[in-house]
Amino acid sequence: MVKEQLKEVQDRIKNACIRAGRNPEEVTLIAVSKTKPVSMIQEAYEEGIRDFGENKVQEILEKEPVLPGDIRWHMIGHLQRNKVKQVIDKAVLIHSVDSVRLARQIEEEAAKKDIQVDILLEVNVAREESKFGFFLEEVEPAAMEIKDFPHVHIRGLMTIAPFVENSEENRNVFKKLFELYVDMKSKNIDNVTMDVLSMGMSGDYEVAIEEGATMVRIGTSIFGSR
Ligand SMILES: *Cc1c(COP(=O)(O)O)cnc(C)c1O
């Protein structure tokens, strides 16, 4: 089942790229395996998937040791400062940095381990009260502080768009984030790369790709409902 659903998602990603005149290689599929068993991750792995997303530190810690070592784990969920230490050397990318305080904690723990940590800044584009993340206008000021943290490297931006019936309703959210992404890239801020734009989930990834996403985080459409 995972195999067929994965194939369908990969086809849709490819078609969205073609519609947008983009190279499908620009878009990385992150299979969001939260709450799903190791056996299902293994199935996706056998189909060639290497990027998996989890939203709980504990789940990464449990799954990582029993799965192949070339899996790239993405931390996509809200991260508490007291869990930073455990996850920074397990995840290749932390998508959900939503405060300078959290980035500072990552800096401190990364310095102790003498490692570099790649992060994305999470943006609450639609200003939803229920969501974490910087508001659009807060992103650049935050980046200007975080750029001075020698062990933390900002690679781009991430958003979780509102839950909507029709994915077209989120097109404007993705457009706004893409604009900010391009704008910040053009400023060539030291220690800020802006080569990753993580947006799009099961309900809206095709629209997100049309609007410039370079990573899509897809759970339900691959592994079924949770
Ligand atoms: C669960 C989750 C996803 C995947 O959601 P689906 O709708 O199942 O594709 C993507 N991003 C984040 C941050 C999530 O927590």
Side-chain angles (χ1 to χ4, degrees), residues 32 34 55 76-77 158 160 200-203 217-221 226:
V32 176
K34 63 189 187 198
N55 69 338
I76 62 174
M158 176 273 225
I160 303 171
M201 305 174 26
S202 291
R217 311 176 307 268
I218 302 177
T220 310
S221 293
R226 292 177 294 269

Side-chain angles (χ1 to χ4, degrees), residues 2 25 29-30 33 77 84 95 102-103 108 133 142 151-152 165 181 186 194 203 209 222:
V2 168
E25 285 175 13
L29 167 59
I30 297 171
S33 48
V84 163
H95 291 234
L102 174 60
E108 282 169 19
H151 301 84
V152 176
E165 286 293 318
Y181 170 76
S186 74
M194 287 293 147
I209 289 169
I222 297 172

Side-chain angles (χ1 to χ4, degrees), residues 193-207:
T193 314
M194 287 293 147
D195 60 345
V196 177
L197 186 56
S198 170
M199 57 186 197
M201 305 174 26
S202 291
D204 56 19
Y205 66 94
E206 292 163 279
V207 176

Side-chain angles (χ1 to χ4, degrees), residues 29-97:
L29 167 59
I30 297 171
V32 176
S33 48
K34 63 189 187 198
T35 79
K36 297 297 177 184
V38 160
S39 59
M40 287 180 107
I41 299 177
Q42 196 82 48
E43 270 186 78
Y45 181 89
E46 277 156 25
E47 299 308 312
I49 299 296
R50 293 294 178 271
D51 291 275
F52 290 90
E54 292 284 345
N55 69 338
K56 291 206 172 80
V57 171
Q58 191 54 38
E59 231 173 303
I60 296 184
L61 297 179
E62 284 167 19
K63 288 170 173 175
E64 188 261 351
V66 298
L67 282 156
D70 62 344
I71 286 182
R72 294 181 288 269
W73 295 100
H74 295 255
M75 176 59 195
I76 62 174
H78 180 61
L79 179 56
Q80 289 169 311
R81 284 183 302 136
N82 63 5
K83 303 266 173 70
V84 163
K85 189 193 327 200
Q86 296 167 287
V87 79
I88 50 172
D89 54 359
K90 301 285 186 303
V92 290
L93 184 63
I94 298 172
H95 291 234
S96 43
V97 175

